[in-house]
Amino acid sequence: MAKSKFEYVRSFETDDTCLRNCYIVVRLDGRNFHKFSEQHGFTKPNDNRALGLMTRSAQSVMEELEDIIIAYGQSDEFSFVFKRTSNWFKRRASKLMTHVASQFSSSYVFYWKEYFEEQPLLYPPSFDGRVVLYPTNRNLRDYLSWRQADCHINNLYNTVFWTLVQKGGLTTAQAEDRLKGTLAADKNEILFSEFDINYNNESALHRKGTTLLWKKHEETVIRRMKQPNAEEKEVPVTRSKRRVENLYCDIIGEQFWEEHPDILEEDN
Ligand code: DGT
Ligand code: MG
Ligand code: MG
Ligand code: MG
Ligand code: MG
C-alpha cells in the first residue's frame, strides 16, 4: 500500500524503551487523595474498605497485564515490578505505565461498590504513574524497603496522632504539638503507657502494607475424552495454575526473600 504524505509524522514519536536487564517498576499514586478520602468518609487513620479496593484493583492489574512478579501497596499508592527480562510492549515505558494506570483506575471504579456499598463514588478518581528502572536485586529490594519503611513511619505517626485525638480528647493541633520532635520509641511509649496499646499488635495490613505475589497451585478438572476404538470416558486432567496471593508481612529482612526465591532473577 502506498504511504500517505502524512506518514512522516510518525517519526516524531520518541523512543522510551526501558534499558534491558533492569527491573521495571511502575508506581501509581492517587491524585489528591487528601480531599478524596475526606469527601468519601474514609475512616482515620486507616480505612479497610479503601485499602481492600486498592488491593483488588492491583490484583486486576496483575491478572490482566503480563510479567508482573510482585506488587506492593500502602495508603493511596501501589508499585508494580515487571520481571527484568520482560519484553512486554517492547519495554516501552509509556505503554507499560499507561496500561497499569488505566487498568488500575478502571478497576477502582468498577469494584467501588463491592467495598463501599452505600457510599456513592462522587467523582472519577485518577492515579499518576511513574516508571523507575532498577539494575540490581539490591536496588530493587531497597526500593521496596523504602516504600515499606514509609508505610511504617506514616502508620506509626497516624496511629498515635488519631489515638491522641479519638481516645485522648486532644484537638488535632494539640496532637500535632505533642508529637513534634518525637522519635519512634517515644510514639510507641505514648501508645503503651497512656492507651495500653502495643503497636506491634496493631493490624499487620496497616503496619506492613500489602504485598501481592503469584502462588502456584494444581487444579484438576474432569474432561470427557474419546479414544479411537473406545467408549467416551471421563478423565481427570491436572493443570498447574497460578493465582494472586495477598501478604501483610515484612519484606525488608532476608526471611521473605529466602521464602520466595522465585521472585528475583540472578544478577549477572
Ligand atoms: P497527590 O498524591 O500529590 O495528588 O496528593 P495526595 O493528597 O494524594 O497526597 P499523598 O498521596 O501524599 O497522601 C495520601 C493521602 O490519602 C493522605 O492525605 C491520606 C489519604 N489516605 C490514604 N489512605 C487513607 C485511609 O485509609 N484513610 C484516610 N482517612 N485517609 C487516607
Ligand atoms: Mg504525592
Ligand atoms: Mg496521592
Ligand atoms: Mg500517596
Ligand atoms: Mg490500538
Side-chain angles (χ1 to χ4, degrees), residues 163-177:
T163 301
L164 287 168
V165 173
Q166 292 162 351
K167 296 192 178 148
L170 268 58
T171 64
T172 51
Q174 287 168 331
E176 204 177 314
D177 242 27

Side-chain angles (χ1 to χ4, degrees), residues 219-228 230-239:
E219 197 178 88
T220 304
V221 288
I222 304 296
R223 282 281 144 79
R224 295 189 71 85
M225 292 228 203
K226 174 85 177 85
Q227 306 283 317
E231 288 287 291
E232 198 175 65
K233 268 199 303 201
E234 294 198 332
V235 197
V237 180
T238 301
R239 286 215 190 87

Side-chain angles (χ1 to χ4, degrees), residues 147-157 184 199 206-207:
R147 297 326 301 148
Q148 189 166 55
D150 186 79
C151 174
H152 167 73
I153 292 163
N154 290 332
N155 190 61
L156 178 58
Y157 183 93
Y199 182 73
H206 302 160
R207 286 183 296 116

